[in-house]
Amino acid sequence: MNTHAPVSPAEDLPGAGPGRMDPAESQRINSLATGLSVSVALVLVAAKLAGWFASGSIALLASFFDSLLDLAASVTAFLAVRYAARPADNEHRFGHGKAEAFSSLLQALLVSGSAVFLFFEGTQRLLDPRPVEAGGWALGVMVLSLALTLGLIRMQTLVIRRTGSIAVTGDRAHYSADLLSNVAVMGGIALAVFAGLERADPILALFVGVLLAKSAFDLGRESVNQLLDRELPDATRAHIETLLTDDPRVLGVHELRTRAAGPLIHIQVHMDLDPFQTLKEAHDVVVAAEMRVLEHYPAADLLIHSDPKGYGEAHGRGFFDADPEPHDGGAR
């Protein structure tokens, strides 16, 4: 019979992630973050548009379009975190959590579009350079943008540490790219205005395009992983298994399946129990295991199947079970 030391809060996994916070509290915090993001995006769109009209800087125009896409993405994230936290209903028995992943994927597509635009415009201006006018005005706009973006990223980082929201993570990816973009744009404008290097403006715009393309790829990959029900990280799975088996009456677990859906996680597992105990006793063991998991993952949806000890190994694999590791010298 397996025995396990009690799982204390100190043994809990660090950081945040899906399932670790009550959905209502997660929605409240994420809504504040995405609401502030929308407000910052609105200010930056207006300031950069005015700055471009005054200066004609292609790098500033590129930054304006990036902020315009950020505004669309931030509004999407603002709506997605509210929808994702809604409870399950008759049409969505597993809840609405994947709305956050859809929002994040849309953000990745928008960032990709921004990168393509930068590559096109930057190449055109590299071949046909134009002077940057009203450089002081343009630099003032970028200083404002830099300060607002730094503050927003700091706040988003604190929120992600608490909620692990993929929608807010996607939003932060936008603004992290913007932070580098703002520095690059300021450098391009300064070199064009004060050093007469007109091609510095489009060259740095192309550099920003590369950064945006990488950000879009990383964000899209994470979104697709969640949409395709990728398993939770190994450390999280091991922690869940430890919680499930932290009871001498639990003889083992197998066929553990996990997936994330926005702020929620779904867990399915088979639990080995004493075949000679009563149904009531088996039920009590399962409920106790559920309570241990929910203490650490309050936004988890659990489905525990009880197996009499020895039956789980004999009743064969299900359709969705992974193939076993091949034996030495043998075929699968």
Side-chain angles (χ1 to χ4, degrees):
M1 179 176 294
N2 294 343
T3 58
H4 304 273
V7 179
S8 67
E11 296 173 52
D12 204 354
L13 294 176
R20 315 269 301 174
M21 179 177 286
D22 178 75
E25 178 66 8
S26 176
Q27 180 200 19
R28 185 186 69 81
I29 296 174
N30 291 334
S31 294
L32 289 174
T34 52
L36 180 59
S37 175
V38 171
S39 300
V40 168
L42 283 169
V43 172
L44 294 182
V45 163
K48 290 178 181 180
L49 181 61
W52 173 69
F53 274 125
S55 68
S57 165
I58 181 61
L60 188 55
L61 176 62
S63 187
F64 159 74
F65 275 102
D66 186 34
S67 291
L68 193 63
L69 291 174
D70 282 344
L71 175 60
S74 294
V75 170
T76 302
F78 180 78
L79 298 174
V81 296
R82 284 162 169 73
Y83 187 77
R86 292 171 59 179
D89 54 34
N90 289 335
E91 283 99 27
H92 306 88
R93 293 290 188 177
F94 291 98
H96 305 79
K98 285 190 177 180
E100 285 200 13
F102 277 113
S103 166
S104 185
L105 184 59
L106 175 61
Q107 291 171 334
L109 294 175
L110 291 174
V111 173
S112 298
S114 181
V116 170
F117 173 81
L118 282 182
F119 290 139
F120 177 78
E121 287 296 324
T123 302
Q124 290 290 100
R125 284 293 182 94
L126 193 60
L127 298 175
D128 181 22
R130 302 176 191 175
V132 174
E133 301 173 356
W137 220 101
L139 286 173
V141 170
M142 296 315 300
V143 169
L144 172 65
S145 177
L146 189 66
L148 290 177
T149 303
L150 274 170
L152 179 61
I153 289 174
R154 174 58 179 164
M155 185 274 296
Q156 288 173 327
T157 300
L158 295 175
V159 168
I160 292 168
R161 286 176 183 171
R162 291 196 62 188
T163 69
S165 169
I166 189 174
V168 177
T169 301
D171 223 21
R172 186 182 63 173
H174 275 282
Y175 289 102
S176 295
D178 281 353
L179 187 64
L180 296 175
S181 132
N182 291 338
V183 173
V185 170
M186 289 174 67
I189 293 172
L191 288 172
V193 172
F194 301 114
L197 301 176
E198 295 179 354
R199 283 190 170 85
D201 186 34
I203 287 174
L204 287 173
L206 289 173
F207 172 68
V208 173
V210 173
L211 296 177
L212 291 178
K214 182 181 183 304
S215 174
F217 175 78
D218 293 341
L219 183 57
R221 179 177 57 186
E222 181 64 26
S223 304
V224 169
N225 281 341
Q226 191 167 123
L227 290 172
L228 294 181
D229 295 333
R230 184 181 179 90
E231 282 286 332
L232 296 179
D234 290 342
T236 304
R237 284 172 49 85
H239 184 235
I240 291 171
E241 184 170 344
T242 299
L243 292 169
L244 288 168
T245 56
D246 187 33
D247 185 335
R249 297 172 296 176
V250 177
L251 307 181
V253 294
H254 57 280
E255 296 186 35
L256 173 63
R257 299 172 188 163
T258 62
R259 64 185 177 93
L264 313 172
I265 60 172
H266 299 275
I267 303 168
Q268 297 180 17
V269 67
H270 288 237
M271 180 174 286
D272 294 325
L273 301 175
D274 182 352
F276 301 107
Q277 65 186 332
T278 66
L279 181 59
K280 172 66 166 58
E281 290 170 339
H283 172 76
D284 290 343
V285 174
V286 169
V287 170
E290 290 175 344
M291 293 300 102
R292 289 194 300 275
V293 173
L294 290 173
E295 181 180 354
H296 294 261
Y297 300 90
D301 177 35
L302 287 87
L303 180 61
I304 301 177
H305 176 79
S306 337
D307 276 343
K309 178 62 176 176
Y311 176 74
E313 292 82 354
H315 76 290
R317 294 188 296 114
F319 178 79
F320 291 104
D321 292 340
D323 289 334
E325 292 296 324
H327 299 290
D328 293 339
R332 286 184 183 271

